[in-house]
Every structure is written in C-alpha cells, then in structure tokens.
Amino acid sequence: MSSGRAQLSLIHQALAERAEARLSDAALRLLVEQTGEAVLLMDATGRVLAFNSEAGSRFRIPPPERIESHGNLPGCVWVRLDEGGGVLAVSPLSRALAGEVVRDERWGLRRPDGTRVVLEGSVFPVGQEPGAKPAGVLLRAREVMEEPRLDAMRAARLLAEAGALLAAELENEERVEPLLRLLVPTLADAGVFFLGPGGEAVRAAAAVHAEPERHVLLVDMLRRYPPDPLDPRGLPALFLTGRTERVAELSEAHVEALTRDAEHARLFGLLGVTRYLGVPLVARGRVIGALALFRSEGAPAFGDEEERVAEELARRAALSLDNARLLREAREAVRLRDEFLGIASHELKTPLTPLHLKVQLLQKQVDVLAAHGKPVSAERVSETLDVVQRQVRKLTSLVDNLLDVSRITAGRLKLELEEMDLASVAAEILYRFAPSAAQLHCSLEMHAPVPVLGRWDRLRLEQVVTNLLSNALKYGAGQPVRLTVEADGRTARLTVEDGGIGISAQDLPRIFERFERAVSDRHYGGLGLGLYITRQIVEAFGGTVRATSALGQGSTFVLELPRGDIPDEWLSVPGAPEPVP
Ligand code: ADP
C-alpha cells in the first residue's frame, strides 16, 4: 500500500512537473513574443527552435525551419554598413556559433524583397560547455533608422572641399579626378566623369571605384569600351536628355542600355554596382558632360538629399570647366592674334624694303645727274616704277585680305550676283598668272571644254580662283599646275591640282581656318588668310571647298558652287546661250 501511495505521489509529482514545464514553456514563448525585439533561437545544426513574429516582420520571411551553415536566413543576406556595403564575410550567427559573444552591434540586412534594413542587437552562444562549441545561439535584435550616408554636415564639407578644388588653378583633366576622389567613397562606391561638349568627342575623363580590384576593372572596361557619342549605348542617356537619372536597382534592361554588348555587360556586372545616380554637367544651356555615380549591391539607394548634393556639385564643376575652357580659348585667341600681328607686320614690311631701296636709289641718281645738269633716263624711271608698282600691288593685296577678314568677322561680306561663265573667269585669271608661272618655270594647264554658266559675284569669284592658283604656284615646287572647270547639273566644279610640297593629313583639317599655316614663315611668306577667306566666300555662295593632299605628293583643291537661280536651258551644255553682258 505504501508503495502504491509512493507511486501515486511520484505520478502527481511528474504531472505537477509537466504542468510546470508547460507553464514555463508557455511563459517563455509569451516572453519571447512580447519582448518587442526580433528573437531567434537555433541549435548548432541550424534547426530553428524559436522565431517570434517580430523576427518575421524584420526579416520579412515566415518562420524558417533551418538556417544554413553560413548563417543567412532564407532569402536574406547580411551586408556591411560601411561605404562599400558589400556582403558580410562572416554572419553574426556564425560568429556566435563559433563561441563569440556578439554584443550590441549593427548589421545591414538585405531581405528577399530587395529592401534593406539596419538591425542592432546581440547574438549569444547558448548551452556552452567549457572547451566545447555552443549547443545553439540566441539572436535578439531591433530595427534602427539607417543614418544617411551623407548627412548635412558631410554634404556641406564635401561641397566646400569641391569648391576649393575647383578654385585651384588646375587644368581640366586633372581637375575632375580629385573631385571624383572626394565623392568616392563618401557619396558613392564608384564614379565616372564623362566630358565632351557637343562637337568634341565624349570621353571618360576620370573613373574611380572604392575597391582597388574593381577600380582596375572599371578603368579597363572604359578603356575597352570608350564612350562613343555616335552610339548612345554605353553612355548615360542624360547626355541626350540633360536630366538627372536615379535608379534604385539597376535592372537587366538598365544594364543593357548602359553597355554595348554581352562582354561589356559582363564587365559591368563584375563591378558589383546596382544603385545609379547620373547628373548632367550643364554650362550655358549645353550638356558638357555627365557625372555617373554608382553604389554597390547592398548599399542604400541614393536619396533626394544626395541627389541634390550631386547636382550642386555637377553645377559647380560644369561652371568651372566651362570657365577653364573659355579661358583656354581666350588665351589661344590672344596667342594667335599676337602671332598674327608678328607675321602681318613682317609681311607688310617685306614689300616696303625693296620699294624704299629702289626709290632711294632713283633719288640718288636724280640728284647726281641733276648736279651734272643731265636728265634722268626714262628707262631708269620706268624700271623703278615697275618695282614700286609690284610692291604696292603686294601691299594692297595684303591690306585687302586683312580688310576682308574684318568684314567677314563682322558679317559684312556682301555678294553682288550676276550671270557669268566660270570657265572664262578661270581662264582670265590663269592668263594673269602666266608671267609669274614663267618666272617659276612652271607650266599652267587648263581643261574647260564647255562654258559653265552660273550666277556669282565676279570679284569674289576671281578672288577665290586667284587664291587657289597663287597657292598652287607658291607651294607647287615648280611642277605643272592644272586647272579644270566642269559642270555637274546645278553644281559647277573647279579643281586646281599641283604637284608640289603637299600637306600632311594632320595639317589638312586646319588650313581653312583663320591664320592657320602648315609651313614655316621662314620658307614661305603668308598670313594664313587666303584659304580662310576662300572658304568664307565659297560658303557665302552656298558651296564647298575641300583639299586632298599628302606630304610631298602635291595637292588638289576642289571647289563646288551651286550655279544659282539659272534657267534650265543653261544646264544643258554645250549650246548654252552666252550670258547677258
Ligand atoms: P598662306 O599661303 O598665306 O599661308 P593660305 O590660307 O592661303 O595662307 O594657306 C594656308 C596654308 O595652307 C599655307 O600656309 C600652306 O601651308 C597650306 N597650303 C595652301 N595651299 C597649298 C598647296 N597648294 N600646297 C601645299 N600647301 C598649301
């Protein structure tokens, strides 16, 4: 009996203990639910023993059964909170599983839906026997507001530092690289400065990635895929729109738009950037460049305030770059002007010297002869006057050229159109050059089988042909010069070909510019204005002039002029009527 009672009391005790255990279990669960913190208990094998609803809201996942060995909850990734924002090498859960007490830390967490939170908390190893691994870990955490990467103070400091950099006397390219280094990694994890106002080729003037290996990758990618203004892919679209672009998460379509082919996209992928902020550099209403900023996977997306700071910075950079360019252009213009004044005075003085000497000599002869009561021979006077006249003609043409340039600059080039035959005009000019060609032992050939009628300004047309022919003789090295006139429908074409010194490919594009020359003034005199004036006149006629040449291979200048408002019958040559005189 006594044993029966003892058994009964044991059962009672066991029941009481079970009830107690249930109570404490329930109480514990209640406590876990009520803490207001996310709580997670898992054993050393990764089995989840507790996961409260707060944890469900923070991680945005249903209670998981297991957590894999690297300590990432299903679909979630632990990320760093520093500027790189990359994936955490060792998760806080793994650290506690290894025995570390992780106390009061902050971690970033990327959730399955792509959003990011910052959690603050601790992870404790539990059930740890001395010298052994813990039996499990307990995580307690709560969400905290993420500090903006760029707070007001940092933004102000950034703009001040940028201002100091921009104010320093740096030349263009040098100026953007340090500027970019200010922004990376403070504001972004990677950045590229694209520069290239309309006309000039767009180029990546500076590129920086916060991570050294990825920096090398970025620079290499830009070298292999340099921006091509003719192919808008690979360039921020804001070059066309002039508007800021902000993308929280670069999709495949975005990457496709930013890259040119699959390899480009692959390289871009290796950069590990997903957030994008592109701001235009606008100066005097023109997009002169763009600043493309990127943030790594896991980093917060760019915010409104950050966009404002980037825009302000781009505005200041654009202004400063534009000023630097204006200054450079102004300096270049002054340099060209000074050079021109030097050449112009030399050129104007050259005819004066023989003129002066000849007149002086004649004066002396007149004096000597007069002293002997003899008359001066008409032959001598005439010879002197010839020289005087030649040099005065040279001076007149130089001064005329200078006047033309100032007229063209002031937009006062007036054309008086009348009907004429280009072939006859050309023949007449060629005839005028006959004596100087003979002196140079250079033969002049003309090929103009039929009249080419059109409406042009006679004097200006003569000037153009004169410029091309005089250059052909001057730079023609005594080789034959050939002039061709032909018509092609409503276009008249005049070609001047010489076999002279030629022009290098490098110099060709600039010889039609003002004061530009491709020869040294020690060997060939000249102001570098003839072709400039020629082009201006030809363009005023609505035509074109171009040159093909190679150094030492002679040159060909081709003039194409619209024949103007002429009757259709004139187009069918021969048989075209003579123009009305
Ligand atoms: P200038 O002859 O006074 O220098 P131009 O404007 O007529 O000025 O020509 C500009 C430059 O173009 C010349 O300085 C010369 O270098 C080059 N050039 C022009 N015509 C020829 C030619 N027929 N052959 C070689 N070079 C030429």
Side-chain angles (χ1 to χ4, degrees), residues 471 474-475 498 503 511 516-519 526-528 530-531 555:
N471 277 353
K474 182 167 157 190
Y475 303 110
D498 69 62
I503 306 155
I511 54 167
E516 291 289 356
R517 313 195 65 219
V519 285
L527 293 175
L531 288 181
S555 313

Side-chain angles (χ1 to χ4, degrees), residues 96 109 189 217 265 421 489 497 566:
L109 180 83
D189 300 314
L217 252 167
D421 170 19
E497 246 172 301
I566 51 167

Side-chain angles (χ1 to χ4, degrees), residues 48 61 69 75 88 97 110 131 148 159 214 219 234 244 253 258 288 293 334 340 343 362 403 424 435 475 506 536:
V48 177
I61 51 171
S69 55
L88 270 185
L97 265 179
R110 204 168 65 238
L159 286 176
R214 284 178 160 160
V219 172
T244 296
L258 280 170
I288 63 159
L293 296 173
V334 169
F340 166 72
I343 297 172
L362 184 68
L403 284 175
S424 329
Y475 303 110
Q506 191 189 342
Q536 298 296 327

